[in-house]
Amino acid sequence: SIVLLGTAALYLAEAEARSRITGGLDLDRFAVAEVDFLLQDVDVERRSLIVDRVLDRLSSHPAIDVVAVASGLPIGSMPPPSSRYRHGTKVVAGTAIAVTPGAFDAVGLEILDGRGFDDDDHAASEPVVILDTAAAQRIFGDADPVGRQIEVTRVAGLGVRSDITQTRTVVGIVETVSGVSARAEGASYLPFSQQPEGRLQFVARSDDDPGRIAREIEAALLIEDPTLALMQTGSGRDVLSPASRFGRVVMTIAAILGVCGMAIVLAGLYGALSYLVSRRTREIGLRLALGAQPGQVAMMILREGLSPVVAGLALGGGLVYLLRPLFAAGLGPMMPNANALAIVGTPLLLLSAAALACYVPA
């Protein structure tokens, strides 16, 4: 039972920790709708037209402050495309995210140096790029990258059959998205008009309920193409939080494990102790007749009943702790980390339940 409950507590603790991770984004201030145009065989011209029309429609919505499109973010379930950056002889890997103007305002990322994208950054204009602080540090070190040029290679992948390399001018530096699922190598941001990707996230910032705004985005998309299928919709926390899917699955599994473990403890202790007490009814009566107080007899029953529980806590807790490396080897980054709640809270909970199961027969 303690193995079941200890494992449940480890996963619950990890899910709770993940739920606090935002990556530095205002996850509760914007809505997201994910669409994969590639899977639905929507060509570049058609998807660009849909994006323009949907953004025009939503930008006039009274409850929406800013709306934009991004080909993924460095956090969440839809990873951005892989890229390489070259400056002189230095080549580093990263991710390249295509965004429309206003994307940084929509998700709450601050431009730290230079400028953001605007309508002048179109397909026929000079190729430009914005780096996050992690990518800028890896490529340029402590030097100021704004105004300098790098080669950005969009690595072949979804929607791109071969590598695409362009020399781009760095026009700005933006905050790095941090968190458990953020890409540590850094990210670059390209104008969507210069790199029209096919897997997109429509993002709308609003003070209104993000769930309702997500439905507005979905409605605007379906007006343009009723056959479109959306992948996910909801608030930024629902769609992008590292705990969005992981948390729901883990909470369910952990709750089942916990209920099973507690049921075994309560049923086993209550049944065994009830049987033992019933077998000792004459002895208990004799003790009371000879002057023992009812409280003393109850404490004796509790002490004898809780002794094997304490031993089980020690053995089971030690087993859970020893098996953690095996869990880590099998689950990798999904492996929860033990903390005070799992190490101390679970035994106290189990001990309390066991004491209750002992007290009733006593």
Side-chain angles (χ1 to χ4, degrees):
S1 297
I2 191 62
V3 170
L4 289 174
L5 287 167
T7 305
L10 291 176
Y11 278 91
L12 283 168
E14 178 73 359
E16 192 275 334
R18 285 170 176 254
S19 69
R20 298 195 304 267
I21 296 173
T22 66
L25 307 180
D26 296 333
L27 295 180
D28 296 315
R29 285 290 311 279
F30 62 86
V32 180
E34 293 184 342
V35 185
D36 194 331
F37 290 108
L38 297 176
L39 285 179
Q40 302 177 70
D41 200 25
V42 179
D43 59 37
V44 174
E45 291 76 11
R46 177 61 179 158
R47 82 178 68 132
S48 297
L49 181 61
I50 292 175
V51 167
D52 290 341
R53 288 181 175 177
V54 169
L55 294 184
D56 286 341
R57 184 182 300 275
L58 293 175
S59 61
S60 61
H61 194 289
I64 295 178
D65 298 328
V66 59
V67 61
V69 163
S71 62
L73 289 167
I75 187 172
S77 60
M78 191 170 77
S82 299
S83 289
R84 292 190 303 271
Y85 315 126
R86 177 188 292 273
H87 177 65
T89 59
K90 191 172 187 178
V91 179
V92 299
T95 55
I97 303 170
V99 298
T100 58
F104 302 126
D105 292 334
V107 299
L109 285 178
E110 182 182 357
I111 297 288
L112 303 177
D113 192 12
R115 66 173 179 86
F117 297 135
D118 54 37
D119 293 336
D120 292 332
D121 298 313
H122 49 76
S125 64
E126 176 190 14
V128 293
V129 61
I130 292 175
L131 302 177
D132 69 6
T133 53
Q137 177 66 32
R138 295 185 67 213
I139 299 169
F140 295 99
D142 295 329
D144 183 8
V146 176
R148 305 176 74 173
Q149 291 188 326
I150 61 171
E151 282 188 1
V152 180
T153 300
R154 165 67 161 88
V155 178
L158 288 174
V160 178
R161 295 183 178 180
S162 59
D163 293 355
I164 299 175
T165 301
Q166 279 187 307
T167 299
R168 294 180 175 270
T169 301
V170 180
V171 296
I173 302 297
V174 71
E175 291 179 282
T176 297
V177 176
S178 59
V180 67
S181 63
R183 279 69 185 175
E185 70 271 13
S188 65
Y189 298 87
L190 316 176
F192 176 76
S193 56
Q194 296 180 359
Q195 184 62 50
E197 298 286 354
R199 305 181 71 206
L200 301 177
Q201 293 172 332
F202 288 78
V203 182
R205 187 179 184 87
S206 173
D207 292 326
D208 204 342
D209 174 35
R212 190 175 77 84
I213 299 300
R215 291 190 291 273
E216 295 288 345
I217 302 175
E218 181 178 4
L221 282 163
L222 295 179
I223 288 174
E224 295 302 325
D225 188 345
T227 66
L228 280 179
L230 278 66
M231 297 169 61
Q232 291 188 91
T233 61
S235 70
R237 187 172 299 278
D238 293 335
V239 177
L240 301 178
S241 170
S244 58
R245 287 196 182 93
F246 177 86
R248 286 191 291 268
V249 173
V250 164
M251 293 289 276
T252 301
I253 294 174
I256 293 173
L257 289 175
V259 169
C260 290
M262 195 61 69
I264 291 172
V265 170
L266 292 175
L269 281 174
Y270 187 85
L273 288 170
S274 296
Y275 174 73
L276 291 176
V277 171
S278 67
R279 290 289 301 270
R280 299 174 65 181
T281 300
R282 292 175 181 268
E283 174 198 342
I284 292 172
L286 183 59
R287 288 176 181 273
L288 293 174
L290 293 176
Q293 297 299 314
Q296 293 175 315
V297 176
M299 287 302 299
M300 178 189 70
I301 302 292
L302 284 171
R303 183 172 58 253
E304 293 178 0
L306 289 177
S307 295
V309 175
V310 173
L313 288 173
L315 291 172
L319 184 60
V320 171
Y321 186 81
L322 292 174
L323 289 178
R324 286 178 64 247
L326 298 179
F327 295 152
L331 299 177
M334 300 288 280
M335 173 60 197
N337 298 311
N339 60 12
L341 174 64
I343 295 173
V344 179
T346 302
L348 289 178
L349 176 66
L350 193 59
L351 200 59
S352 301
L356 180 64
C358 294
Y359 178 77
V360 176

